[in-house]
Amino acid sequence: MKNEIKLIFYIVFAVLVSGCTSIGSYIISNPDVYLSEAEFIKAEPEEIGFTKHEFCSHNTKECIPYLTAPPYLSEDFTEGSYVYYNLHAIGNGVENTISHTMTPDTFNRLKGTALLLHGYGGSKEVMMATAIYFRALGMNVVIPDLFGHGESNEKFAFGTREHQALSQLLSKLTNKRENKELTVVVGHSMGTLAASNLLSSEHVDAAILLAPMMRFDLAAKEYLPNKAPMLNSIFSDQVDDIVTQTMEDASVTLEDTDLLINLNESSKPRARA
């Protein structure tokens, strides 16, 4: 409700000084105006083993806030204890519940690093639930904010420009290891675009794409009616113009948001779900 009130006030004000295309472009580039991501874990990152950091690219000077956490160790779990999470979500009349349990005897099956990338309107914190699984597998986890999301101060870029800084970050975090370990990028929604871009990095071995995003002009037409019906009722006739202006403002092309191009050019393992 808070986000909806904020959005209504913004639209009323903006209509007085601008057109629908400019309003729509602003809203797309600032998803926190109208989106409220589900709070999957009601705990501060530090309370459940995460540490906050910031990395700034030495080339572009772009900075990325991120969380890290080490793998779970079986010796830290008392007899009868285990890792368990239960995710319950309701949206558009559809109700989903996902439960998963991992006991200490199943820990440490893999060694390496998992880079977890949230989707449009998300933040690093919403990926902490996903991190539970990879920590139990035996992997270090790294969870950044995409540009224009969470605590990021960088300009929203549709997930198309983060890969350069993220590749440098992975180099910093993984180069010190003596043994070759697996580095996997896991992207959700818009985060799959950044993940597909990272397939070109020498520091990434494979990618897992969860609910991959379509090219953004196609994604916008699918997203608005289902996820933002109020916005769709206002802007449905101007979607093409809004997408065009938003991309021009961000200096991003439609081809930049087409992850199939990256997938076709890479021979590295990837899985979609």
Side-chain angles (χ1 to χ4, degrees):
M1 180 63 70
K2 181 179 178 182
N3 280 356
E4 290 180 358
I5 293 173
K6 181 168 63 172
L7 176 59
I8 290 170
F9 272 108
Y10 177 79
I11 290 176
V12 170
F13 172 77
V15 163
L16 299 177
V17 298
S18 185
C20 281
T21 300
S22 296
I23 299 168
S25 177
Y26 175 88
I27 293 172
I28 287 178
S29 299
N30 295 271
D32 61 322
V33 169
Y34 68 98
L35 283 180
S36 179
E37 275 289 338
E39 189 179 35
F40 292 135
I41 296 181
K42 294 182 178 181
E44 292 300 314
E46 295 84 356
E47 296 174 349
I48 52 176
F50 291 88
T51 306
K52 284 190 175 184
H53 311 268
E54 183 177 66
F55 174 78
C56 295
S57 167
H58 51 77
N59 294 333
T60 65
K61 309 304 179 185
E62 294 166 329
C63 295
I64 294 179
Y66 68 99
L67 300 172
T68 60
Y72 295 125
L73 300 176
S74 57
E75 55 262 37
D76 293 335
F77 287 71
T78 58
E79 185 176 354
S81 63
Y82 50 84
V83 171
Y84 169 82
Y85 60 87
N86 182 54
L87 303 181
H88 186 71
I90 301 175
N92 299 319
V94 179
E95 192 169 337
N96 291 296
T97 299
I98 300 174
S99 301
H100 190 65
T101 300
M102 299 179 78
T103 55
D105 60 293
T106 67
F107 290 179
N108 300 315
R109 285 175 281 163
L110 290 175
K111 295 294 183 183
T113 298
L115 176 70
L116 309 180
L117 304 174
H118 64 79
Y120 179 68
S123 68
K124 56 188 180 298
E125 286 76 17
V126 303
M127 297 300 286
M128 291 193 299
T130 305
I132 292 173
Y133 175 77
F134 288 94
R135 293 178 70 184
L137 282 181
M139 304 186 80
N140 297 286
V141 294
V142 182
I143 319 176
D145 279 324
L146 295 180
F147 291 170
H149 291 78
E151 295 179 306
S152 170
N153 292 319
E154 303 298 336
K155 186 177 180 180
F156 175 75
F158 297 88
T160 64
R161 283 201 278 272
E162 291 85 346
H163 56 287
Q164 296 182 17
L166 289 174
S167 180
Q168 293 173 23
L169 174 59
L170 288 174
S171 174
K172 173 187 174 183
L173 296 178
T174 60
N175 265 359
K176 295 180 181 179
R177 304 187 182 281
E178 294 181 1
N179 299 320
K180 175 64 177 176
E181 296 181 345
L182 183 68
T183 300
V184 177
V185 181
V186 182
H188 172 252
S189 183
M190 184 173 282
T192 61
L193 183 56
S196 70
N197 281 324
L198 277 164
L199 285 171
S200 64
S201 170
E202 63 180 308
H203 308 294
V204 170
D205 299 302
I208 300 173
L209 310 180
L210 307 175
M213 186 187 81
M214 295 182 287
R215 201 179 66 187
F216 193 77
D217 58 330
L218 303 175
K221 292 177 180 178
E222 293 288 335
Y223 183 91
L224 286 176
N226 295 301
K227 298 294 185 179
M230 185 177 73
L231 289 181
N232 185 63
S233 65
I234 297 171
F235 299 119
S236 59
D237 294 335
Q238 291 85 29
V239 170
D240 289 335
D241 292 337
I242 289 171
V243 169
T244 297
Q245 179 166 330
T246 307
M247 294 202 155
E248 288 178 352
D249 293 343
S251 300
V252 173
T253 68
L254 284 178
E255 288 72 23
D256 291 335
T257 68
D258 190 346
L259 62 80
L260 291 177
I261 295 175
N262 296 328
L263 297 183
N264 289 334
E265 292 178 350
S266 175
S267 60
K268 292 182 180 178
R270 62 267 189 183
R272 288 179 286 176

